[in-house]
Amino acid sequence: MSRMGRVRSETSAGWRSFVRRRTAVFFTFFFPVILIVIFGALIRTDPTGGGLFTEPPAFYVPGYLAVVVLFTPLSRMGSEVARHREGSRFEKLATTPLGRGEWLLAQTVVNAAIIGLASLLILGLVIVLTGASIVFSPLLVPYVLVGVVCFCGVGAMLGSYTDSQDGAVAASNGIGLPLLFLSETFVPLSQLPAWFEPLVHLSPLTYFARGVRAATYSGAETPAVAGIDPAIANLAILAVLAVLAFALGARSIPQTD
């Protein structure tokens, strides 16, 4: 079987495995919907007042998308790798032609399909419930795809180095929650202390949020990088980080355990 055939076969198996887990399907789409309803429709934004949500609704679109682009790969990949380790499945995979990188690529494709559907749902709900004025840029698609690749790699590392599925889920939540709120998603950089700014620049999610905001929000004040359009520049940075994370994630997956 060719490499493409191996990846296609593993992708099909991964998709069927996800669809059979009804609880996972439900919460993958339900969690971001709850956030939009709470923050977008109930609390609402107040551009003329004070507090946390002081920007127009479209400003927070990257944050809503980041919920699925960040949490779904971290939790699904982390628990999937940990589950394979506990069941000694990587030892069985080592006896097949399917390589670790090919396995991770197949799982990434499944996550990309899931997150793509969830992102469409999120964008529709944001427009309907918050009245956000969004610019539908073609760069949205590569941002979501590259973000998924990046965080699938990170999730694979979490699943490889934690001691159980519970540990992988706990680690993904422990890493994901700070990143979600401290990467220029829901909280602007101006509301954070000056000493924290260098740490914001270390987060891959920062470049996702900045780029998506520059591409979809006409009022974005994202500065250009080396004279390059910020939507393009941040995508390039995110792509480099995604390649690095994917390579490290594939390398960390054990052949035997």
Side-chain angles (χ1 to χ4, degrees), residues 46-54:
D46 185 12
T48 61
L52 179 60
F53 290 91
T54 58

Side-chain angles (χ1 to χ4, degrees), residues 47-140:
T48 61
L52 179 60
F53 290 91
T54 58
E55 302 289 342
F59 178 89
Y60 300 102
V61 169
Y64 295 131
L65 290 177
V67 173
V68 290
V69 171
L70 173 67
F71 275 101
T72 301
L74 288 186
S75 61
R76 288 197 74 251
M77 283 305 310
S79 61
E80 191 73 10
V81 171
R83 185 166 63 89
H84 273 61
R85 289 175 57 204
E86 291 176 359
S88 300
R89 297 188 182 186
F90 287 121
E91 292 185 359
K92 298 175 182 178
L93 283 177
T95 64
T96 71
L98 187 71
R100 292 178 293 176
E102 295 170 347
W103 181 86
L104 181 56
L105 176 59
Q107 299 300 322
T108 301
V109 172
V110 174
N111 277 275
I114 296 167
I115 294 167
L117 294 174
S119 297
L120 290 175
L121 175 63
I122 289 171
L123 290 174
L125 286 175
V126 167
I127 293 173
V128 172
L129 296 179
T130 71
S133 179
I134 302 173
V135 179
F136 286 94
S137 169
L139 288 175
L140 265 178

Side-chain angles (χ1 to χ4, degrees), residues 18 23-32 68 72 76 114-115 118:
F18 169 73
T23 303
V25 174
F26 177 76
F27 281 101
T28 296
F29 294 94
F30 181 72
F31 182 55
V68 290
T72 301
R76 288 197 74 251
I114 296 167
I115 294 167

